[in-house]
Amino acid sequence: MTRITADDIAPVVEALAEQNRQLLKKVGLGKERRFRRLAKLLDAKETKFVKLKKSGLDPQKAAQELLDQIDAIAGKGPKKKTPPGAKLKAGVRILAETSEEQLLAIDIADLGLQLDVIREANKIEGAYPAETKKISFDEGTLSAILNGLPAGVGEAVRAELSRIVSEKRD
């Protein structure tokens, strides 16, 4: 009984991967377009909502104080006092306020999404090696797997595997 290994199947898998790349390109999802779309997400932001009690400070200055604290927590250096008359950082909006509180919307970097974008770009470039496992199974199991594939695909894979096995025997 002939044993088929992952090494025997690798050329077939690569051929299918190439067909997949060509299909993605044909429907407008080629590598270049995917990279352009991902690049737009490298500066992704998320909005956090914060309710502040007024401290007698001008609302703009209170928001700036909060941003300075966020920067300090995020490791952007020691907490700096906002100079008098300084403008509020971009990305902070006062949504509502009363005489005692104000509701702020603060846009900050969406680091989780940005990291996902970097990982995805690396996957597209093949920076992560494909996970491989050594598998082997008998011809009956292989036949059952191939019979479960869509019409035509199973026959094509079977023909390619037969060719590979016959080359190995020669």
Side-chain angles (χ1 to χ4, degrees):
M1 186 176 298
T2 303
R3 306 280 280 162
I4 306 294
T5 67
D7 292 338
D8 296 328
I9 298 173
V12 176
V13 171
E14 180 52 39
L16 290 171
E18 180 56 32
Q19 287 177 352
N20 184 49
R21 285 189 287 271
Q22 294 304 319
L23 180 61
L24 285 171
K25 193 170 187 174
K26 185 176 181 178
V27 298
L29 293 173
K31 187 192 276 190
E32 297 79 21
R33 181 164 187 221
R34 287 181 283 160
F35 273 126
R36 283 193 307 274
R37 299 287 297 204
L38 285 172
K40 290 179 182 180
L41 295 173
L42 280 173
D43 296 320
K45 302 238 184 254
E46 62 180 322
T47 302
K48 299 290 184 181
F49 299 95
V50 179
K51 186 191 285 188
L52 292 178
K53 289 199 181 281
K54 287 191 175 177
S55 60
L57 289 176
D58 173 62
Q60 298 282 342
K61 290 180 184 172
Q64 186 62 53
E65 289 280 329
L66 179 63
L67 284 175
D68 290 344
Q69 291 173 16
I70 291 170
D71 284 350
I73 291 168
K76 293 185 177 179
K79 183 184 174 307
K80 304 169 262 181
K81 283 285 187 194
T82 304
K87 287 190 175 185
L88 186 65
K89 283 186 180 179
V92 177
R93 297 173 308 286
I94 300 171
L95 300 177
E97 69 181 299
T98 66
S99 60
E100 291 147 18
E101 294 180 322
Q102 61 187 159
L103 178 63
L104 303 177
I106 303 174
D107 296 329
I108 60 172
D110 187 341
L111 299 178
L113 179 57
Q114 291 176 9
L115 181 58
D116 288 345
V117 166
I118 291 167
R119 284 186 184 135
E120 195 61 34
N122 282 327
K123 283 180 191 175
I124 292 171
E125 275 300 297
Y128 301 124
E131 189 176 313
T132 58
K133 295 182 179 178
K134 218 41 165 165
I135 59 169
S136 64
F137 36 81
D138 57 49
E139 289 181 35
T141 303
L142 178 61
S143 183
I145 292 169
L146 295 176
N147 289 337
L149 294 175
V153 175
E155 292 80 14
V157 172
R158 187 176 277 115
E160 182 64 16
L161 287 173
S162 294
R163 184 188 66 73
I164 292 168
V165 169
S166 69
E167 284 178 3
K168 276 187 136 184
R169 288 184 186 151
D170 294 342

